Amino acid sequence: MQSFHWKYAALFLAAAVVQAATGELRAQHNVQIDGRVVDAVTRLSLPGASVILLELMQGQSTKNDGTFSLEVPPGTYHLLTRYVGYADDTLAVSLATNTSLTIRLMPVDVRLSEVQSTAERDKEYLQRSSRAIAVLTKKELDKHRGQTLGKTLENIPGVTLLQTGPSIAKPVVRGLHSQRVLVLNAGIPQEGQQWGGEHAPEIDPFSPSRIEVLKGAAGVEYGAGAIGGVIRVEPRTFRELPGMHGEVSLNAFSNNLQGSGAVFLEGAHEALPGFAWRVQGSLRKAGDTRTSAYVMNNSGFSEVDASGGIRYATGRWSSEVYYSHFGTILGIFRGSHIGNITDLMQAITDGRPQVVTPFSYAINRPKQEIRHDLFSLRSSLMFPGVGELTTQFGYQQNNRLEYDAHRAYNDSLAALNAPSFDLTLTTYTADVKFKHVPVNGLFGSIGVSGMRQGNVRAGSVFLVPNFRAYSAGVYALESWARDRLTLTAGVRYDFRQVEVYPFNFRGLQQRMHTYGGLSVAFSALYLLSDSWSVGSSIGSAWRPPSINEMYSNDIHHGTAQFEIGDLNLDTERSLSLDVTVKHAGERTNAEFSLYSNVMNRFIFLFPDPQPTLTIRGAFPTFRYMQADAVLSGFEGSFEIRASELLKLGITGSLVRGDNRSTREPLIGMPADRVRLLTHFDIGDFSTFSNTYVEIVSNFVRKQDRVPANADYAASPAGYALLDFGMGGELSFGTQAIAIDLTVQNLLNRSYRDYLSRFRYFTDDPGVNAVLRVRIPIGESAE
């Protein structure tokens, strides 16, 4: 079977090369088709209509006067024209010479179109993938703007948070996180310094317009490392129609008195056809977070982000350039850095800070300063009748400074203010992908990818050494669809080489690590009816140990713990099985998944019985260990539109992680949880439209599946939180200002989540009211 796929892929590559070599010659014989799309009744032009030559996968949107122009080889084609509120039109055209035509679209009842598009959406959802994929649209993301990326994802079934203080939240997918969950930012693998659980993705929370969470191993498509899941963060698409549009977002948070805002602008110009641009900037500033009983001192942060992009597209070719900057200064909760072992153990026993000072915006030591810059160049070229070739180059540089609470004696003021460690990680990535057109129900893609990465360290604390790494991968993924059945198979080989440079102060010798391995996947999806589908996938993926898991041997300031690596760690290998049932009905939606992930040589942090005392203070100590493990679980969601007014929903997830070597539960697995939603669509109210009110209840069970007598503190009790939300749109002329108010932890409950890294020392945040206002500028093209 694999041999067949390789031969098939080689055939398409050869066809692509021949097509490219002869493209210029054939272009000399192309003919031009010019047209205009109008309303069949009023004869008015229709700007923005989609015109597509189906056989060539070539098309464009009509201009302001409803016109379009395509240059194609002579032949007979089917021309599909679409426009919201009008019936689709498919016209057979025979092109021997240059041709002009007028396409008249017939208006249809708007409600009928909405029903049809809803049905198409439902079918697309049911057939999107055999695996569990959660999608957050711009409308859903708007209700969470101003929060961290992790916090935005926490309501997705199967996704929980590894929280380090109020401003750092890392997504946990089916019990796996950090190096096992790949984050793609604008198509580029996010390569921040992922050393440990408190380094959240360095992504502007105002920038995504769509987020997809693919749950489970995805090694074939995304390479070694995507062993737990993939989070795809997509910025806004470029504007197609001439004009300008923008948006101003303003947020206010009551708990830490955070203020945040963002400005977004985009444009396209008739004088520059095919050219479009967009820019965005955002600010966030917050003071200390409050629990239900006290202030978490030195937990404020400030953040400045910016991004921009341009795109140029012709009929067959397009290129996009994208740049983003992320910069933040984070205070680390002062009560987690303690001077001696006696006070440390007393603080854990007391379960609350020994010293509490009044609320402040000041950010003092210990703290982090993080800067992340990302550049992307993406191009695609369509070969009519063959497929599409896409290339993407990425450059990233991540700089992390961490400052101790305690300063060593030094006569130099500059030395006193120097960070305890300074890490600069520079990454280059390149991807080439060819997606061929369907042939007898068979469609798919082949690709290669490569990465070069280097890390430079400075400072007195040794967390990771200097290193340089090279990675490469090649893959093929093919699907076959007929009637209600879709089968998919893929294979990928990845190679990684890491050269670690000597560090004489710690007796570290130069060392080379080389890894390689196959990832394979097979899946099946069957459409049971117009409203139900079932999918299943089985696959094997792998991940090499990361640099911190092997070489750490010092304080990790962000998590306030001493971490010790193990040079003898071997690669992880997973074998995963997933079954997902989806339903999309007229009034109900549901998705349920069962999964099991057998992981050989699973790497995890485990507490040492004795804390470590250093000149910087006393810290709980953790060692990286390895054991065979299995992670199984269930996640599901169900939603019903009980009436035009009322919508009810329930989501839940359960993860069971077991160490097969010791026959004990795995440490650090998320607790069972259920979320209940009651949503009222009130409609128009006074000067507001699309108003709503919703109440959300979150129930989290105590995590009692933990290794006996292993942790520094017992698992915290289970908890229940109540959230409230309301909002709507306020019209000013043709503009609608969106206003949302949410209150998290409405009853100001005192609680601690098991996955909170500071649960030894403090509660999680108390009540928090959040006001969000979005003001449009100009007319959106969406």
Side-chain angles (χ1 to χ4, degrees), residues 149 183-185 190 201-208 233 303 305 326:
L149 175 67
V183 178
L184 288 174
N185 184 10
Q190 182 81 5
E202 300 91 350
I203 296 175
D204 180 359
F206 287 96
S207 68
V233 181
E303 184 176 311
D305 306 322
F326 175 95

Side-chain angles (χ1 to χ4, degrees), residues 151 154-155 159-163 292 653 669-676 696-704 715-723 744-756 759 762-766:
K151 194 74 176 172
E154 70 172 341
N155 294 331
V159 179
T160 46
L161 297 183
L162 186 64
Q163 191 107 10
S292 63
S653 62
M669 291 291 110
D672 306 338
R673 58 198 63 216
V674 173
R675 177 175 182 266
L676 303 177
V696 178
S697 304
N698 295 285
F699 302 91
V700 179
R701 182 173 171 269
K702 177 181 179 178
Q703 180 53 286
D704 53 8
S715 295
Y719 60 87
L721 301 179
L722 185 66
D723 297 344
Q744 302 158 349
N745 193 3
L746 180 66
L747 303 179
N748 201 26
R749 294 286 190 190
S750 170
Y751 74 101
R752 300 179 189 205
D753 193 272
Y754 176 66
L755 292 187
S756 170
R759 65 179 172 84
T762 180
D763 288 343
D764 282 323

Side-chain angles (χ1 to χ4, degrees), residues 283-286 300-304 327-331 361 363 368:
L283 298 169
R284 296 203 300 160
K285 175 73 175 177
F301 64 90
S302 63
E303 184 176 311
V304 179
T328 186
I329 300 175
L330 302 165
Y361 280 101
I363 300 174
Q368 302 173 335

Side-chain angles (χ1 to χ4, degrees), residues 703-714:
Q703 180 53 286
D704 53 8
R705 299 190 79 258
V706 295
N709 304 316
D711 209 342
Y712 287 92

Side-chain angles (χ1 to χ4, degrees), residues 8-29:
Y8 192 80
L11 178 63
F12 274 103
L13 267 184
V17 172
V18 172
Q19 184 77 12
T22 59
E24 184 177 353
L25 178 63
R26 292 193 294 131
Q28 295 173 4
H29 302 290

